[in-house]
Amino acid sequence: MTKSNTMWGGRFAEGPDAIMEAINASIGFDRRMARQDIEGSRAHAAMLAATGIVTASDAEAIREGLLTVLSEIESGTFDYSTALEDIHMNVEARLTELIGAPAGRLHTARSRNDQVALDFRMWVRDQADAAIDALPRLMAALVDQAEAGADWVMPGFTHLQTAQPVTWGHHMLAYVEMFARDLGRMQDARRRMNECPLGTAALAGTSFPIDREMTAKELGFDRPAANSLDAVSDRDFALEFLSAATICAMHLSRLAEELVIWSSAQFRFVRLSDRWSTGSSIMPQKRNPDAAELLRAKIGRILGAQVALLTVMKGLPLTYSKDMQEDKEQVFDAADSLMLALAAMTGMVSDMTAEKENLEAAASSGFSTATDLADWLVRVLDLPFREAHHVTGALVKLAEEAGIDLPELSMEQMHAVEPRITEDVFEVLGVRNSVASRTSYGGTAPDNVRAQAARWKEKLA
C-alpha cells in the first residue's frame, strides 16, 4: 500500500511534517467506520453505472474490489497508513492497488465531505439500532421481576426516608416506564437521522446527473437530504443520539445507585449474583457491587461526549470545517459505554434476588402507614385533611416515644389523641392493606401491578 498522500496534486510543493500529519490524521479512530464507508462507496459505484457516469465494467470492478478491501479489514490484514489521513483515502488507495485505474473513478460526483457525513450517519444509525434492540431486553427483565413480586411489600422513599409502602413490582415497573421513554427517544432520533447526505458533494451538490434517490434507497434511508449545505455540515443526528444516550445513562445510573444501596448490609433488599459482584483483597466478608458502581459512573463519559460535541459544533459557520473531525471519538466511546451498560444492567436485573422478608420488614417500620391513617381519619371521621394530618403527627410522636410502630398503639393511646378512632383503624395500618388500597390508576396495588406487567409483556412481545 502506498504510504504517501498524493491527493493534493500539484497545489503543495512539500508534504506535511510529522506534527501536522499527527494532528490532521483521523485513521486512528475513523477506521471504525470502514464497513459503512465501503457500503456507501459500493452504492455510489452502482449509481454511477446506472446513470451512465461510469461504465458498468468499471463499477463492477470497484464493487468487487471494495469487498476484497472489506474482507482484509475484517480479517485484520489491512495495512492502515497515517499518511493517508482517514478511512476514505486508506480504502481508496488499497482499491487502486487491487484494481488499478477504475478505482480513480469512484470519487466522481462526491466529496470527502458528503462521504464522511454519510459514513458517520450510518455508523450512528447502527448504534441507535443496537440500543433499540437492547432496551426491550432490559425492560423485559424488569417486567419479569415485577410479575414475580407484584404483591411483595417494600418501603417507598422520598428523600431516602421511609414514606409509604409500595410493592416490589411497582418499583420495578417505574424503571420500565423510564426505559420505555428512552426507547421512544432513540426511535425518534433514528427516524430523524434517516436522510442520506450522499451526493451533496463538497457543499453545493454536483453537475453530474446522479440519482440520489437510488443511493438513499440502497443504503436504507427514507430519503435524500434536501439541502446540500446542511447535509455536509449537520451533526444533529449524533447530538440527538448522545442526548437520548445521556438520559438513558442517567436512568441506568439511578437504578444502579438503588442496587448499590439495596445490596448493602444495612438494607439487604437484594442479593446480586456472583456474576456481578466482587470480593475484597483484604476483607473476606465483602461482596462489592462493582458492576453497579461502574454503571453508575458511565453517565459521566456519555454526558461528557454530548457536551464535547455541542462545544465543537456551537460556533461553526456553514459548511464543513476541520473542527468536525473532532466529532467522532467521543461518540464512539459513548456508544460503547451505553451498550456495555445496557448489557450489564440487563444481566444484573435478570440475576438479582429480592429479599422478600427484609423488604416487608423495612416497609413495616418507619411509620410508613401514617398517610393511610390520615386518609382514614378524613374518610371515616370526616376530619379536614389538615386536622387529620395533625392528629396523625401526634400519634406518630406518641408511638416514637414509646419505641413502637403505629399498628402497635393501643386504642387507649389513640383515644388520648382522638377519642372517635375505632378498632376499624387497624385495617389500614398494616402494610399489606395499605398497598392493596392504592387502586387508583398508576397506583401500587398488586392487581394494578399485574395488569401493568401483563400490558408490558404484550407490548414487548
Side-chain angles (χ1 to χ4, degrees), residues 261-268:
I261 294 171
W262 290 350
S263 62
S264 68
Q266 289 71 30
F267 273 72
R268 295 183 297 121

Side-chain angles (χ1 to χ4, degrees), residues 434-448:
S434 173
V435 296
S437 71
R438 306 293 172 178
T439 57
S440 60
Y441 182 76
T444 192
D447 287 346
N448 287 14

Side-chain angles (χ1 to χ4, degrees), residues 119-408:
D119 294 359
F120 193 28
R121 190 178 289 252
M122 290 176 64
W123 191 92
V124 172
R125 186 178 65 178
D126 288 345
Q127 302 312 302
D129 287 341
I132 289 166
D133 183 59
L135 276 161
R137 291 197 292 273
L138 173 55
M139 293 164 65
L142 287 161
V143 170
D144 287 344
Q145 286 281 353
E147 197 170 43
D151 57 0
W152 300 351
V153 183
M154 67 175 290
F157 298 96
T158 62
H159 310 279
L160 204 56
Q161 304 294 313
T162 299
Q164 294 177 262
V166 296
T167 55
W168 170 259
H170 196 53
H171 201 114
M172 294 297 100
L173 289 175
Y175 283 103
V176 175
E177 296 290 336
M178 292 185 212
F179 293 123
R181 293 194 295 274
D182 293 325
L183 177 60
R185 272 184 285 271
M186 198 64 76
Q187 290 168 330
D188 188 48
R190 202 243 190 242
R191 281 192 294 270
R192 201 160 19 254
M193 72 176 66
N194 209 34
E195 293 186 345
C196 184
L198 185 60
T200 57
L203 76 161
T206 179
S207 58
F208 288 95
I210 62 173
D211 185 347
R212 294 190 60 214
E213 294 283 352
M214 176 182 173
T215 47
K217 182 178 180 181
E218 175 71 18
L219 294 169
F221 288 96
D222 295 330
R223 66 192 71 83
N227 184 285
S228 61
L229 297 172
D230 177 56
V232 298
S233 60
D234 169 40
R235 295 298 183 269
D236 288 2
F237 61 90
L239 287 166
E240 282 202 74
F241 170 78
L242 289 175
S243 179
T246 298
I247 298 172
C248 182
M250 176 269 292
H251 290 149
L252 288 166
S253 186
R254 294 183 73 180
L255 179 52
E257 167 70 358
E258 297 213 292
L259 295 182
V260 170
I261 294 171
W262 290 350
S263 62
S264 68
Q266 289 71 30
F267 273 72
R268 295 183 297 121
F269 283 5
V270 300
R271 182 176 178 84
L272 300 178
S273 76
D274 290 344
R275 293 175 60 203
W276 307 105
S277 305
T278 64
S280 166
S281 62
I282 191 172
M283 294 168 284
Q285 83 281 10
K286 295 289 291 299
R287 281 176 55 84
N288 298 325
D290 281 7
E293 291 173 350
L294 290 165
L295 259 173
R296 186 173 57 184
K298 287 296 182 185
I299 176 118
R301 301 173 74 111
I302 298 172
L303 173 59
Q306 183 183 21
V307 173
L309 184 53
L310 281 168
T311 304
V312 167
M313 297 300 299
K314 72 171 184 63
L316 296 186
L318 293 178
T319 56
Y320 183 82
S321 297
K322 195 71 171 182
D323 311 50
M324 293 166 74
Q325 186 165 292
E326 293 294 319
D327 61 357
K328 297 173 191 66
E329 287 179 277
Q330 57 266 27
V331 180
F332 293 161
D333 182 79
D336 291 345
S337 295
L338 178 66
M339 294 310 301
L340 181 60
L342 285 170
M345 185 59 82
T346 302
M348 275 192 290
V349 169
S350 299
D351 289 356
M352 72 181 179
T353 302
E355 303 285 5
K356 181 181 176 182
E357 293 77 12
N358 295 342
L359 290 169
E360 184 160 350
S364 300
S365 65
F367 312 108
S368 65
T369 55
T371 303
D372 297 272
L373 174 56
D375 288 346
W376 185 89
L377 293 170
V378 171
R379 190 172 57 252
V380 177
L381 301 186
D382 199 28
L383 294 182
F385 183 79
R386 286 301 167 200
E387 184 178 343
H389 187 283
H390 177 76
V391 169
T392 302
L395 290 169
V396 167
K397 182 180 180 182
L398 190 63
E400 193 171 35
E401 290 172 347
I404 57 177
D405 214 327
L406 283 172
E408 299 170 279

Side-chain angles (χ1 to χ4, degrees), residues 1-8 15-16 21 81-85 89-90 93 97:
M1 177 180 285
T2 181
K3 297 299 181 182
S4 61
N5 189 348
T6 59
M7 68 178 176
W8 304 118
E21 183 176 288
S81 169
T82 303
L84 290 170
E85 292 187 13
M89 297 310 300
N90 270 264
E97 290 180 350

